[in-house]
Amino acid sequence: MARWVGGRGFEVQAIKLDGRPLLRVRQYGFLVAYCRSVTEVAAHVDLDELVELITLPNAAARRQG
């Protein structure tokens, strides 16, 4: 699932909860809110500060792959 990080320890992650797509907002690992839209996320986080976090496979996964 997609993840974005921003200033002041914020992280936004696209998740499914009970089969519904949501955006989970956390700050320093603590839950802030579950949001149904980007507009709701903007109430908690400055959207201009968010950058997408891309996780690359490690070397062992590439060798197996």
Side-chain angles (χ1 to χ4, degrees):
M1 292 275 179
R3 286 178 32 179
W4 300 267
V5 294
R8 297 183 293 138
F10 277 104
E11 178 183 337
V12 178
Q13 185 173 16
I15 64 166
K16 282 195 175 192
L17 187 62
D18 295 330
R20 297 177 305 172
L22 293 171
L23 296 165
R24 178 175 55 201
V25 179
R26 295 190 293 183
Q27 186 177 29
Y28 299 116
F30 293 96
L31 179 65
V32 174
Y34 289 113
C35 301
R36 289 174 279 163
S37 68
V38 174
T39 304
E40 289 182 14
V41 172
H44 305 284
V45 181
D46 181 0
L47 299 179
D48 290 333
E49 291 184 359
L50 291 178
V51 295
E52 187 171 8
L53 182 64
I54 299 172
T55 305
L56 300 175
N58 63 27
R62 284 193 301 266
R63 281 192 294 258
Q64 293 175 350

XYZ file of all heavy atoms in Angstrom:
510
model
N 0.841 -1.186 0.000
C 0.000 0.000 0.000
C 0.890 1.255 0.000
O 2.012 1.224 0.474
C -0.897 0.015 1.241
C -1.955 -1.052 1.254
S -3.341 -0.439 0.337
C -4.445 -1.767 0.418
N 0.344 2.316 -0.484
C 1.092 3.574 -0.604
C 1.289 4.223 0.765
O 0.430 4.136 1.633
C 0.364 4.522 -1.538
N 2.462 4.870 0.912
C 2.774 5.593 2.162
C 3.422 6.918 1.822
O 4.200 7.016 0.880
C 3.746 4.792 3.027
C 3.108 3.627 3.676
C 4.065 2.798 4.483
N 5.148 3.529 5.093
C 6.068 2.972 5.844
N 6.060 1.687 6.071
N 7.032 3.678 6.363
N 3.078 7.933 2.608
C 3.679 9.249 2.479
C 4.152 9.688 3.851
O 3.544 9.360 4.869
C 2.650 10.258 1.958
C 2.103 9.903 0.617
C 2.564 10.319 -0.594
C 0.991 9.056 0.336
N 1.804 9.774 -1.605
C 0.832 9.003 -1.066
C 0.104 8.326 1.124
C -0.164 8.258 -1.676
C -0.890 7.576 0.512
C -1.012 7.559 -0.878
N 5.262 10.420 3.893
C 5.780 10.952 5.147
C 5.926 12.467 5.010
O 6.088 12.992 3.910
C 7.138 10.318 5.543
C 6.962 8.855 5.855
C 8.164 10.498 4.437
N 5.838 13.136 6.147
C 5.942 14.585 6.147
C 6.661 15.080 7.380
O 7.173 14.295 8.184
N 6.676 16.374 7.538
C 7.335 16.996 8.678
C 6.628 16.683 9.987
O 5.493 16.214 10.003
N 7.318 16.901 11.072
C 6.817 16.702 12.425
C 6.360 15.272 12.685
O 5.452 15.031 13.467
C 5.705 17.697 12.762
C 6.208 19.143 12.732
C 5.155 20.153 13.118
N 4.116 20.164 12.095
C 2.807 20.221 12.362
N 2.387 20.275 13.596
N 1.925 20.231 11.384
N 6.998 14.309 12.003
C 6.745 12.900 12.290
C 5.465 12.325 11.728
O 5.048 11.237 12.128
N 4.846 13.004 10.774
C 3.584 12.504 10.219
C 3.835 11.431 9.173
O 4.794 11.487 8.412
C 2.766 13.633 9.589
C 1.965 14.403 10.591
C 2.381 15.651 11.004
C 0.791 13.888 11.125
C 1.656 16.373 11.928
C 0.052 14.599 12.042
C 0.480 15.851 12.449
N 2.931 10.460 9.141
C 2.927 9.410 8.118
C 1.480 9.159 7.719
O 0.598 9.069 8.575
C 3.527 8.126 8.673
C 3.507 6.983 7.696
C 4.054 5.693 8.288
O 4.816 5.751 9.261
O 3.694 4.635 7.765
N 1.236 9.083 6.419
C -0.094 8.789 5.896
C 0.031 7.511 5.090
O 0.927 7.378 4.256
C -0.622 9.934 5.008
C -1.991 9.592 4.440
C -0.679 11.240 5.796
N -0.870 6.564 5.345
C -0.811 5.283 4.656
C -2.192 4.911 4.140
O -3.186 5.002 4.866
C -0.307 4.198 5.599
C -0.096 2.870 4.938
C 0.570 1.872 5.870
O 0.607 2.062 7.078
N 1.106 0.815 5.312
N -2.252 4.491 2.873
C -3.489 3.987 2.288
C -3.678 2.554 2.767
O -2.796 1.714 2.583
C -3.419 4.050 0.776
N -4.820 2.280 3.411
C -5.085 0.953 3.962
C -6.511 0.538 3.636
O -7.306 1.334 3.132
C -4.886 0.933 5.497
C -5.911 1.849 6.181
C -3.474 1.292 5.883
C -6.015 1.624 7.677
N -6.832 -0.707 3.945
C -8.214 -1.179 3.913
C -8.553 -1.619 5.333
O -7.815 -2.400 5.947
C -8.383 -2.339 2.949
C -8.435 -1.898 1.519
C -8.966 -2.982 0.634
C -9.099 -2.405 -0.769
N -9.856 -3.279 -1.628
N -9.663 -1.123 5.841
C -10.128 -1.471 7.181
C -11.564 -1.944 7.043
O -12.418 -1.202 6.550
C -10.030 -0.254 8.106
C -10.326 -0.488 9.574
C -9.330 -1.475 10.178
C -10.265 0.826 10.338
N -11.810 -3.186 7.442
C -13.132 -3.800 7.263
C -13.586 -3.719 5.812
O -14.766 -3.469 5.521
C -14.168 -3.154 8.185
C -13.880 -3.383 9.655
O -13.294 -4.438 9.979
O -14.241 -2.528 10.471
N -12.635 -3.875 4.880
C -12.949 -3.866 3.466
C -13.122 -2.494 2.843
O -13.358 -2.385 1.651
N -13.007 -1.429 3.651
C -13.172 -0.059 3.138
C -11.808 0.601 2.986
O -10.979 0.526 3.885
C -14.011 0.781 4.099
C -15.418 0.280 4.277
C -16.153 1.118 5.288
N -15.360 1.116 6.530
C -15.623 1.868 7.570
N -16.614 2.702 7.568
N -14.862 1.797 8.656
N -11.574 1.290 1.859
C -10.311 2.019 1.702
C -10.301 3.269 2.579
O -11.274 4.027 2.610
C -10.287 2.384 0.217
C -11.711 2.369 -0.203
C -12.418 1.380 0.669
N -9.222 3.438 3.321
C -9.059 4.590 4.202
C -7.628 5.095 4.130
O -6.734 4.397 3.662
C -9.373 4.217 5.657
C -10.803 3.851 6.004
C -10.869 3.307 7.418
C -11.716 5.052 5.850
N -7.427 6.296 4.629
C -6.090 6.856 4.802
C -5.841 6.959 6.306
O -6.584 7.623 7.022
C -6.003 8.230 4.138
C -6.181 8.209 2.627
C -6.454 9.608 2.103
C -4.962 7.610 1.959
N -4.799 6.270 6.769
C -4.465 6.299 8.194
C -3.400 7.359 8.417
O -2.348 7.350 7.785
C -3.954 4.933 8.642
C -3.554 4.913 10.117
C -3.169 3.545 10.589
N -2.106 2.986 9.752
C -1.845 1.693 9.674
N -2.569 0.814 10.328
N -0.864 1.262 8.918
N -3.654 8.262 9.339
C -2.708 9.328 9.672
C -2.107 9.004 11.038
O -2.835 8.799 12.013
C -3.402 10.713 9.720
C -2.406 11.795 10.089
C -4.079 11.016 8.391
N -0.778 8.938 11.082
C -0.069 8.717 12.346
C 0.976 9.803 12.526
O 1.494 10.353 11.549
C 0.605 7.356 12.357
C -0.381 6.220 12.306
C 0.241 4.894 12.557
N 1.159 4.516 11.493
C 1.796 3.365 11.433
N 1.624 2.464 12.369
N 2.613 3.095 10.437
N 1.269 10.097 13.775
C 2.348 11.024 14.090
C 3.230 10.360 15.124
O 2.759 9.952 16.193
C 1.805 12.351 14.621
C 2.903 13.377 14.826
C 2.385 14.729 15.296
O 1.367 14.812 15.965
N 3.102 15.773 14.949
N 4.520 10.228 14.783
C 5.497 9.535 15.628
C 4.996 8.151 16.033
O 5.188 7.705 17.160
C 5.842 10.367 16.862
C 6.450 11.704 16.516
C 5.788 12.885 16.833
C 7.660 11.786 15.850
C 6.334 14.118 16.508
C 8.208 13.014 15.516
C 7.539 14.168 15.851
O 8.085 15.382 15.527
N 4.278 7.482 15.111
C 3.804 6.127 15.351
C 2.461 6.030 16.050
O 1.908 4.941 16.166
N 1.910 7.140 16.526
C 0.629 7.125 17.221
C -0.496 7.500 16.263
O -0.376 8.445 15.482
C 0.630 8.108 18.403
C 1.559 7.698 19.506
C 2.842 8.220 19.583
C 1.161 6.767 20.455
C 3.711 7.845 20.595
C 2.024 6.378 21.468
C 3.304 6.917 21.538
N -1.601 6.769 16.350
C -2.746 7.021 15.483
C -3.323 8.400 15.746
O -3.594 8.766 16.895
C -3.825 5.960 15.709
C -5.095 6.120 14.889
C -4.808 5.954 13.399
C -6.141 5.124 15.346
N -3.516 9.162 14.675
C -4.156 10.477 14.754
C -5.586 10.378 14.242
O -6.518 10.854 14.884
C -3.364 11.535 13.941
C -4.097 12.858 13.887
C -1.968 11.705 14.510
N -5.767 9.739 13.065
C -7.113 9.655 12.485
C -7.150 8.639 11.360
O -6.130 8.333 10.747
C -7.525 11.018 11.935
N -8.352 8.136 11.106
C -8.671 7.409 9.881
C -9.480 8.369 9.032
O -10.488 8.910 9.496
C -9.491 6.152 10.174
C -8.717 5.053 10.848
C -9.016 4.670 12.147
C -7.695 4.380 10.190
C -8.318 3.656 12.769
C -6.982 3.369 10.802
C -7.308 3.006 12.096
O -6.602 2.007 12.701
N -9.054 8.587 7.802
C -9.702 9.579 6.934
C -10.241 8.905 5.680
O -9.623 7.993 5.139
C -8.711 10.665 6.536
S -7.998 11.544 7.944
N -11.387 9.399 5.210
C -11.990 8.861 3.994
C -11.571 9.615 2.753
O -11.797 9.162 1.640
C -13.510 8.887 4.122
C -14.015 7.851 5.126
C -15.481 8.001 5.347
N -15.600 9.109 6.317
C -16.700 9.769 6.546
N -17.793 9.511 5.892
N -16.722 10.729 7.439
N -10.955 10.801 2.929
C -10.563 11.609 1.765
C -9.293 12.392 2.080
O -8.909 12.563 3.247
C -11.682 12.584 1.402
O -11.815 13.566 2.412
N -8.678 12.893 1.024
C -7.492 13.729 1.179
C -7.861 15.026 1.897
O -7.065 15.557 2.681
C -6.851 14.004 -0.204
C -5.696 14.980 -0.089
C -6.378 12.702 -0.828
N -9.063 15.513 1.675
C -9.522 16.719 2.372
C -9.507 16.516 3.882
O -9.096 17.402 4.633
C -10.946 17.104 1.900
O -10.923 17.268 0.488
C -11.426 18.375 2.563
N -9.923 15.336 4.321
C -9.887 15.037 5.762
C -8.447 14.957 6.258
O -8.147 15.397 7.372
C -10.628 13.739 6.052
C -12.125 13.842 5.888
C -12.846 12.545 6.231
O -12.234 11.638 6.851
O -14.024 12.435 5.870
N -7.552 14.394 5.460
C -6.132 14.317 5.839
C -5.565 15.721 6.016
O -4.803 15.982 6.948
C -5.321 13.530 4.779
C -3.826 13.622 5.062
C -5.761 12.078 4.728
N -5.964 16.641 5.147
C -5.448 18.021 5.184
C -5.791 18.721 6.493
O -5.124 19.688 6.871
C -5.979 18.816 4.002
N -6.793 18.245 7.204
C -7.125 18.830 8.507
C -6.062 18.510 9.552
O -5.969 19.183 10.584
C -8.486 18.328 8.976
N -5.242 17.501 9.290
C -4.233 17.055 10.257
C -2.805 17.316 9.795
O -1.911 17.506 10.625
C -4.386 15.556 10.524
C -5.750 15.170 10.976
N -6.214 15.399 12.245
C -6.768 14.587 10.302
C -7.446 14.962 12.348
N -7.814 14.473 11.175
N -2.577 17.296 8.471
C -1.228 17.332 7.909
C -1.162 18.384 6.809
O -2.108 18.530 6.034
C -0.875 15.953 7.297
C 0.518 15.952 6.718
C -1.034 14.846 8.308
N -0.030 19.086 6.727
C 0.207 20.000 5.610
C 0.550 19.142 4.389
O 1.607 18.523 4.328
C 1.349 20.955 5.939
C 1.633 21.951 4.837
O 0.936 21.916 3.796
O 2.539 22.779 5.014
N -0.362 19.091 3.428
C -0.186 18.219 2.267
C 1.047 18.578 1.451
O 1.640 17.714 0.801
C -1.429 18.263 1.379
C -2.732 17.784 2.030
C -3.884 17.914 1.045
C -2.602 16.360 2.538
N 1.460 19.843 1.466
C 2.642 20.267 0.718
C 3.924 19.635 1.258
O 4.928 19.571 0.548
C 2.785 21.790 0.727
C 1.723 22.470 -0.111
O 1.220 21.838 -1.063
O 1.392 23.630 0.188
N 3.910 19.173 2.503
C 5.102 18.574 3.112
C 5.222 17.078 2.841
O 6.263 16.484 3.079
C 5.095 18.796 4.620
C 5.298 20.231 5.034
C 5.377 20.382 6.540
O 5.258 19.377 7.269
O 5.561 21.519 6.988
N 4.151 16.452 2.367
C 4.162 15.000 2.191
C 4.962 14.588 0.954
O 4.852 15.196 -0.098
C 2.736 14.465 2.058
C 1.873 14.534 3.301
C 0.478 14.001 2.985
C 2.482 13.766 4.455
N 5.748 13.544 1.127
C 6.472 12.922 0.013
C 6.203 11.422 0.068
O 6.059 10.838 1.139
C 7.988 13.205 0.056
C 8.283 14.668 -0.135
C 8.608 12.704 1.334
N 6.132 10.791 -1.095
C 5.861 9.363 -1.137
C 7.088 8.579 -0.692
O 8.210 8.866 -1.102
C 5.451 8.927 -2.538
C 4.992 7.490 -2.585
C 4.387 7.093 -3.914
O 4.440 7.879 -4.864
O 3.868 5.973 -3.986
N 6.863 7.606 0.149
C 7.920 6.732 0.635
C 7.916 5.477 -0.220
O 6.914 4.758 -0.281
C 7.684 6.367 2.105
C 8.719 5.498 2.779
C 10.057 6.221 2.841
C 8.270 5.123 4.168
N 9.011 5.223 -0.908
C 9.127 4.065 -1.782
C 10.082 3.077 -1.128
O 11.226 3.410 -0.836
C 9.641 4.470 -3.177
C 8.656 5.439 -3.817
C 9.856 3.249 -4.043
C 9.146 6.042 -5.107
N 9.602 1.866 -0.909
C 10.415 0.830 -0.300
C 10.988 -0.054 -1.392
O 10.243 -0.652 -2.172
C 9.576 -0.016 0.676
O 8.972 0.857 1.631
C 10.431 -1.040 1.390
N 12.299 -0.127 -1.445
C 12.974 -0.952 -2.434
C 13.234 -2.331 -1.856
O 13.477 -2.468 -0.647
C 14.301 -0.312 -2.847
C 14.195 1.078 -3.465
C 15.582 1.653 -3.705
C 13.407 1.033 -4.754
N 13.195 -3.366 -2.687
C 13.498 -4.714 -2.178
C 14.962 -4.796 -1.758
O 15.818 -4.154 -2.356
C 13.200 -5.628 -3.358
C 13.253 -4.754 -4.560
C 12.895 -3.379 -4.099
N 15.218 -5.590 -0.729
C 16.610 -5.735 -0.297
C 17.351 -6.693 -1.234
O 16.758 -7.352 -2.086
C 16.700 -6.179 1.164
C 16.090 -7.536 1.375
O 16.032 -8.358 0.478
N 15.616 -7.799 2.588
N 18.648 -6.806 -1.078
C 19.473 -7.604 -1.981
C 19.080 -9.071 -1.976
O 19.077 -9.729 -3.016
C 20.955 -7.442 -1.615
N 18.714 -9.626 -0.831
C 18.339 -11.038 -0.747
C 17.080 -11.305 -1.553
O 16.971 -12.325 -2.234
C 18.137 -11.447 0.712
N 16.122 -10.406 -1.515
C 14.884 -10.577 -2.271
C 15.158 -10.517 -3.774
O 14.536 -11.234 -4.549
C 13.873 -9.505 -1.869
N 16.089 -9.679 -4.187
C 16.434 -9.589 -5.602
C 17.083 -10.879 -6.109
O 16.849 -11.320 -7.218
C 17.344 -8.401 -5.855
C 16.610 -7.071 -5.831
C 17.471 -5.968 -6.402
N 18.720 -5.784 -5.680
C 18.917 -4.928 -4.695
N 17.949 -4.126 -4.306
N 20.083 -4.823 -4.103
N 17.917 -11.504 -5.270
C 18.580 -12.757 -5.664
C 17.578 -13.896 -5.812
O 17.704 -14.736 -6.669
C 19.653 -13.136 -4.642
C 20.932 -12.347 -4.807
C 22.013 -12.983 -3.961
N 21.680 -12.862 -2.553
C 22.207 -11.966 -1.714
N 23.110 -11.126 -2.142
N 21.852 -11.926 -0.460
N 16.564 -13.923 -4.944
C 15.558 -14.989 -4.983
C 14.609 -14.810 -6.146
O 14.067 -15.784 -6.654
C 14.745 -15.015 -3.685
C 15.550 -15.413 -2.488
C 14.755 -15.302 -1.208
O 13.665 -14.755 -1.203
N 15.300 -15.815 -0.132
N 14.381 -13.563 -6.542
C 13.388 -13.154 -7.434
C 13.206 -13.586 -8.770
O 12.357 -13.736 -9.458
